[in-house]
Amino acid sequence: MSSTEQARWFVLGGDHLVLLDAQGQIPQGARAQLPAHLQDAPFERFDDWDGEPCYLLDLGADADTSAMAGLRQLMVAGDEEGFRLAGRAWQLATFRRSHRFCGECGAPMAPKAGEWAQECQQGHVVYPRISPCIIVAVRKGPAILLAAHRRHYQADDPMYTVLAGFVEAGENLEQCVAREVFEESGIRVGNIRYVASQPWPFPHSLMMGFTADYQSGEIKVQDDELVAADFFEANRLPRLPPHGTIARRLIEQCLADEA
Ligand SMILES: [Zn+2]
């Protein structure tokens, strides 16, 4: 790259932190505008954004991250493309960090030329790990099934969201939706329909969003994962996940379809 090339600079460190400029965005401009200690750093090109190259640098888990912000901040600020690309950068960095040795022969691995992969001297190659997850909004008449999850639970102001879970080996997505909903809530669902997907870089999920219709059963919360679950109508909703998440999109679509 030349010193005057206009680019986007994704500088990562710690646990899902990212360097933002004074406006709270991914730094944009020539390399010469970066802080002095980053001028000669080994950036890797990983994508493009509006015709400008995106460069990635992972300073590591123990880096000085005092000037960095959480990746979620981009999402909360409504910077959809910034969040998507920073999430992609983080998934690639997580892959490099966690695949330093070959799982087959134990030898050290290094970046493979020409593609995003790690390779050992014996030619074993691995690619970034992506974990498929389903996320589903269950509709019952004018109401939607929402649950307060044990993870991140705030007793004074609990957030309620839709159900989600990892796809198991040998399972198709529709089976996963039906199994997760039944395991977590005791509800049987049908009419399972795909809506949209979202990469979720915490650390490497691909969320696949569905809607489904209530068929039978009474709510019986699985205590390990959920604190509470209930059917909510649009006029008495609890606190919901932020805009920019597929969870929020599913909830809004589900309620709009009913209205
Ligand atoms: Zn190997």
Side-chain angles (χ1 to χ4, degrees):
M1 75 192 89
S2 75
S3 60
T4 56
E5 180 188 37
Q6 297 294 301
R8 303 274 190 159
W9 305 93
F10 294 75
V11 181
L12 317 180
D15 179 11
H16 289 86
L17 300 177
V18 56
L19 183 69
L20 299 180
D21 64 16
Q23 286 75 46
Q25 294 174 331
I26 299 294
Q28 180 181 21
R31 188 184 180 103
Q33 293 166 241
L34 291 175
H37 69 286
L38 299 175
Q39 294 288 331
D40 299 316
F43 279 91
E44 283 182 278
R45 183 170 175 169
F46 73 98
D47 213 323
D48 291 282
W49 186 355
D50 288 342
E52 290 182 1
C54 296
Y55 288 102
L56 157 62
L57 175 69
D58 180 13
L59 297 176
D62 301 322
D64 173 11
T65 55
S66 49
M68 294 189 181
L71 178 54
R72 281 184 175 82
Q73 192 171 308
L74 289 165
M75 180 185 72
V76 173
D79 185 354
E80 209 170 293
E81 193 63 356
F83 176 68
R84 187 186 73 78
L85 284 164
R88 175 163 153 76
W90 254 110
Q91 283 189 243
L92 296 170
T94 299
F95 166 63
R96 289 264 203 261
R97 285 188 188 184
S98 59
H99 290 78
R100 296 184 298 122
F101 297 92
C102 178
E104 261 183 273
C105 73
M109 297 195 108
K112 185 175 191 295
E115 56 184 342
W116 271 92
Q118 293 280 93
E119 186 176 30
C120 76
Q121 281 197 338
Q122 296 206 49
H124 299 134
V125 178
V126 286
Y127 294 89
R129 181 172 163 195
I130 298 169
S131 301
C133 290
I134 62 86
I135 180 163
V136 55
V138 177
R139 184 188 291 127
K140 184 183 184 188
I144 180 172
L145 178 64
L146 297 172
H149 291 248
R150 202 162 285 289
R151 214 157 62 97
H152 311 309
Y153 184 70
Q154 273 178 263
D156 54 339
D157 185 22
M159 185 185 81
Y160 278 71
T161 187
V162 289
L163 301 181
F166 287 101
V167 180
E168 293 186 350
E171 188 174 53
N172 69 33
L173 297 176
E174 292 79 5
Q175 289 167 332
C176 181
V177 167
R179 176 184 56 75
E180 279 290 342
V181 173
F182 181 71
E183 282 179 3
E184 293 190 7
S185 71
I187 299 289
R188 296 286 186 190
V189 294
N191 192 25
I192 296 164
R193 280 162 300 162
Y194 174 73
V195 177
S197 64
Q198 181 181 41
W200 194 244
F202 305 103
H204 40 60
S205 295
L206 175 60
M207 309 297 294
M208 291 170 284
F210 291 81
T211 57
D213 290 340
Y214 169 89
Q215 264 184 348
S216 63
E218 297 291 320
I219 291 177
K220 188 165 171 290
V221 166
Q222 190 203 48
D223 295 340
D224 292 352
E225 292 190 33
L226 304 181
V227 179
D230 205 350
F231 286 101
F232 293 87
E233 293 188 26
N235 60 4
R236 53 171 285 265
L237 290 173
R239 184 164 68 88
L240 299 176
H243 291 281
T245 59
I246 191 161
R248 183 64 173 255
R249 180 173 163 187
L250 289 172
I251 292 167
E252 290 183 349
Q253 169 154 344
C254 207
L255 293 168
D257 285 352
E258 260 320 302

